[in-house]
Amino acid sequence: MPVHSVSNVVVLPTKRTKSVLITMPDFKKIGAALLPPLFVMFMALLLWQIFASSPNSGLPPPTTVISESSDLILHPFFDNGGTDKGLGLHVLASLKRVALGYALAAIVGIGLGTLVGASQLFMRGLDPLFQILRTVPPLAWLPISLAAFKDGQPSAIFVIFITAIWPIIINTATGIRNIPDDYKNVARVIQLNPIQYFSKIMVPAAAPYIFTGLRIGIGLSWLAIVAAEMLIGGTGIGFFIWDAWNSSHISDIIVALFYVGIVGFVLDRLVSYVGSLVTHGMTVN
Amino acid sequence: MHKSYLTLSHVGKSFQRGTNTTEVLRDISLTVERGEYVSLIGHSGCGKSTLLNLIAGLTPVSNGTVLLEDKHVNAPGPDRAVVFQNHSLLPWLSVYDNIKLAVDKVWAKESAAQRKVRIMEKLDLVQMAHAKDKRPSEISGGMKQRVGIARALAMEPKVLLLDEPFGALDALTRAHLQDQVMQIHQTLKNTVVMITHDVDEAVLLSDRIVMLTNGPAATIGEIVNVNLPYPRKRIELVSQPEYIRCREAVLKFLYERHKFVEAA
Ligand SMILES: Nc1ncnc2c1ncn2[C@@H]1O[C@H](COP(=O)(O)OP(=O)(O)OP(=O)(O)O)[C@@H](O)[C@H]1O
Ligand SMILES: [Mg+2]
């Protein structure tokens, strides 16, 4: 069984029309797809406006957020030097860290997962260690990595790495272990050598599982980076939020939260899209 | 002395699980001539697939020997291509690429153009050339089975091993494929060992029908020779005395002398 993500963005399924020749836009269908989320969003904003407008509210209502943080919303890429940058630049800094840590986690994770999935011996040796380490919360790794690397930047990358790697390992191993005997027998009859077996049978057969792991991994990476940057400081969306909190710019925090949510959503969709391209719609069942 | 093409002598197979040993097959001796079509028939679970896997070299024998052209069979290889019970095409490859994977490996010394000819030739043989770019999930069960057969044929095996190739198909598709396989056998004169559950299928296609007793420790109970000329026409066969005789012999064996015990 693949490990499924717990805390992911819920995506409302959007209807896709198959025909290419659309002479008239199907207003009914578009309306049916767009109206419910728009309605919910409108209601949420309305409630927020009502409750945050009371004088003893600690949070600003949407209107205040828009007026106070309009420059943040309108100019995501300004750079006044130091830490005074647009949100777009902070997000980019965070994304860079995630890209590095996640890429490492993907490479090492798929490698280790393959090893553990293919070999009973490695499985017995490594699995207990994995099972213990994977329950360690991402931020608990931060002090250790700061001690080891003596610098914020590599520590943040390490935290991403160590957070994202477990679902990748575990799902890859599950995928490798679940390769049907039939495929193995086909490989044996045509006498594929181990390298050919790896690239032509193992990887494609396990790909749906691997991508399940990669998708959970990217979600966890994004969760972890925001938290890690709050502690490390310097740049990044997490740092921005912490900095805004220290300067009591609550409106800025709220705008930043939207950024975090949207970027996380896009990352998730991106990995899932690449996955569907690579696996040609083969699904984990 | 006349040497047989495929020889099984006193073959036995036991599976070990922990301290229990189950003897699935015992003392199976059989010779198959070049170009012969032999069917294995027996009740479910008696060890037909196990026997086929022994010939394929996918599982090692516990006792006895399997010889193909005087060479010991102790590992799988393309000279004993298998069509598995459930087609076992790779779902991420197109029909063409599924066959290509086998052809590229088995005929690695040939040029790319020659290999392409091989692939298309075999696709034509099973009338699947039109679907060469489709994925297995996009074609019907009967088509998948045909592609599986084409893949096996493309290796030009000395012995073609078929494990209930038509088992999962509806009656019409099944009849159509049986005719195709008969046709191919007539054209290529290849040696075939086929597992089946279906008495009519066995009589229609085979030179000889090998009947296995019920497990555990199944062995060959009886062999029926089907003395009917090829090509056989299913409709004409029904009234022929030889066909009726063979059919009866197999039915008697399966349902009188070796009833499926668990079903009783
Ligand atoms: N790897 C294995 N380990 C232990 N027992 C096995 C193994 N493979 C097969 N058996 C046992 O051997 C017996 C015969 O199995 P086999 O698959 O050969 O039967 P079969 O005649 O092909 O049945 P079916 O017609 O249903 O396909 C079964 O009782 C099965 O439990
Ligand atoms: Mg079987």
Side-chain angles (χ1 to χ4, degrees):
Chain A
M1 273 288 287
V3 182
H4 285 291
S5 63
V6 201
S7 54
N8 258 334
V9 189
V10 176
V11 188
L12 294 174
T14 46
K15 287 249 169 82
R16 269 186 229 152
T17 39
K18 278 233 168 112
S19 74
V20 190
L21 293 166
I22 301 173
T23 42
M24 265 268 290
D26 194 340
F27 290 115
K28 244 187 183 167
K29 270 194 184 149
I30 295 172
L34 279 183
L35 275 182
L38 282 179
F39 176 75
V40 170
M41 228 183 297
F42 176 77
M43 289 309 287
L45 283 172
L46 192 71
L47 284 177
W48 174 13
Q49 182 75 35
I50 291 166
F51 285 107
S53 293
S54 76
N56 52 4
S57 158
L59 295 177
T63 45
T64 320
V65 170
I66 290 169
S67 63
E68 274 184 10
S69 307
S70 61
D71 54 331
L72 267 184
I73 299 168
L74 295 176
H75 308 284
F77 292 103
F78 73 84
D79 190 349
N80 296 340
T83 58
D84 189 12
K85 293 175 187 165
L87 271 172
L89 292 177
H90 281 292
V91 165
L92 274 182
S94 302
L95 281 177
K96 256 188 223 156
R97 295 186 179 122
V98 167
L100 256 172
Y102 179 71
L104 280 174
I107 294 164
V108 179
I110 292 173
L112 278 176
T114 306
L115 215 58
V116 171
S119 146
Q120 202 66 41
L121 193 69
F122 277 102
M123 166 77 187
R124 263 188 241 130
L126 290 172
D127 195 57
L129 186 69
F130 291 167
Q131 295 303 335
I132 293 170
L133 289 185
R134 79 188 180 93
T135 64
V136 175
L139 281 192
W141 289 103
L142 191 58
I144 290 278
S145 46
L146 278 172
F149 296 109
K150 301 182 173 63
D151 185 18
Q153 185 72 0
S155 303
I157 292 166
F158 177 76
V159 168
I160 298 306
F161 169 80
I162 205 77
T163 306
I165 198 168
W166 309 115
I168 300 176
I169 293 178
I170 290 165
N171 280 282
T172 303
T174 309
I176 301 283
R177 229 173 287 134
N178 284 357
I179 295 175
D181 282 339
D182 274 342
Y183 301 172
K184 295 182 197 162
N185 286 339
V186 168
R188 290 174 65 200
V189 168
I190 63 177
Q191 295 179 330
L192 293 182
N193 64 37
I195 295 165
Q196 291 166 327
Y197 178 69
F198 176 78
S199 65
K200 294 190 191 280
I201 308 280
M202 240 185 193
V203 171
Y209 290 86
I210 295 176
F211 273 96
T212 304
L214 287 175
R215 199 171 157 197
I216 299 167
I218 195 75
L220 292 180
S221 297
W222 193 239
L223 292 183
I225 190 64
V226 174
E229 283 171 348
M230 287 187 176
L231 300 177
I232 288 167
T235 50
I237 190 75
F239 163 76
F240 176 89
I241 291 173
W242 194 245
D243 192 43
W245 163 247
N246 284 330
S247 355
S248 308
H249 294 155
I250 306 298
S251 295
D252 291 0
I253 297 180
I254 290 169
V255 175
L257 287 189
F258 274 100
Y259 269 79
V260 171
I262 289 164
V263 172
F265 172 77
V266 169
L267 287 177
D268 180 68
R269 295 276 90 189
L270 203 66
V271 174
S272 140
Y273 176 69
V274 173
S276 72
L277 281 190
V278 172
T279 60
H280 308 290
M282 276 168 44
T283 46
V284 173
N285 35 30
Chain B
M1 199 191 108
H2 171 74
K3 285 265 176 64
S4 284
Y5 197 51
L6 173 69
T7 312
L8 283 72
S9 43
H10 309 291
V11 167
K13 179 69 195 175
S14 307
F15 287 105
Q16 203 98 30
R17 181 155 289 160
T19 51
N20 319 7
T21 315
T22 28
E23 190 180 13
V24 176
L25 297 170
R26 177 188 290 173
D27 197 26
I28 296 202
S29 295
L30 176 70
T31 57
V32 178
E33 300 301 326
R34 187 180 200 133
E36 214 183 354
Y37 199 119
V38 173
S39 291
L40 299 172
I41 198 164
H43 288 291
S44 184
C46 72
K48 301 182 296 297
S49 295
T50 307
L51 182 57
L52 203 76
N53 285 344
L54 294 180
I55 301 174
L58 287 166
T59 38
V61 294
S62 308
N63 302 299
T65 48
V66 178
L67 291 175
L68 177 60
E69 280 198 319
D70 292 328
K71 270 194 285 195
H72 267 275
V73 166
N74 46 21
D79 58 339
R80 282 152 289 123
V82 191
V83 176
F84 295 96
Q85 213 159 343
N86 44 349
H87 73 77
S88 68
L89 299 178
L90 304 174
W92 56 89
L93 295 179
S94 68
V95 163
Y96 183 89
D97 288 337
N98 261 287
I99 302 177
K100 187 171 184 290
L101 183 69
V103 168
D104 283 354
K105 188 64 199 176
V106 177
W107 305 100
K109 291 200 185 92
E110 294 190 352
S111 73
Q114 279 171 308
R115 283 180 303 204
K116 186 171 179 195
V117 169
R118 277 185 186 281
I119 300 169
M120 289 318 293
E121 213 175 69
K122 293 305 178 295
L123 277 174
D124 280 330
L125 200 60
V126 296
Q127 297 168 14
M128 283 299 295
H130 61 92
K132 69 181 177 63
D133 296 320
K134 293 222 164 95
R135 284 182 197 285
S137 59
E138 296 166 338
I139 59 179
S140 72
M143 290 170 149
K144 282 182 215 164
Q145 214 49 271
R146 267 143 73 184
V147 177
I149 292 169
R151 177 175 63 186
L153 288 174
M155 303 178 210
E156 297 196 353
K158 290 178 180 156
V159 182
L160 177 64
L161 303 172
L162 306 172
D163 192 347
E164 287 186 47
F166 318 121
L169 305 175
D170 65 277
L172 280 176
T173 316
R174 179 182 260 251
H176 180 63
L177 269 187
Q178 287 165 350
D179 290 342
Q180 263 185 350
V181 165
M182 191 168 12
Q183 178 85 51
I184 290 168
H185 183 232
Q186 281 314 105
T187 320
L188 304 178
K189 307 273 182 233
N190 52 350
T191 313
V192 185
V193 176
M194 175 181 80
I195 292 179
T196 180
H197 268 135
D198 182 335
V199 180
D200 293 301
E201 177 173 292
V203 182
L204 176 72
L205 294 173
S206 335
D207 291 301
R208 276 191 298 155
I209 304 173
V210 175
M211 292 173 273
L212 294 178
T213 61
N214 285 338
T219 188
I220 295 176
E222 201 180 316
I223 297 179
V224 172
N225 287 306
V226 184
N227 297 311
L228 288 164
Y230 293 98
R232 298 170 181 168
K233 299 236 161 61
R234 65 181 66 241
I235 297 168
E236 291 164 21
L237 278 184
V238 183
S239 54
Q240 295 199 14
E242 172 67 0
Y243 179 83
I244 296 167
R245 178 192 71 82
C246 296
R247 211 170 167 271
E248 247 177 37
V250 178
L251 285 172
K252 273 210 175 105
F253 179 88
L254 288 179
Y255 299 104
E256 283 179 16
R257 291 201 275 137
H258 293 276
K259 272 188 199 158
F260 188 40
V261 217
E262 280 159 71

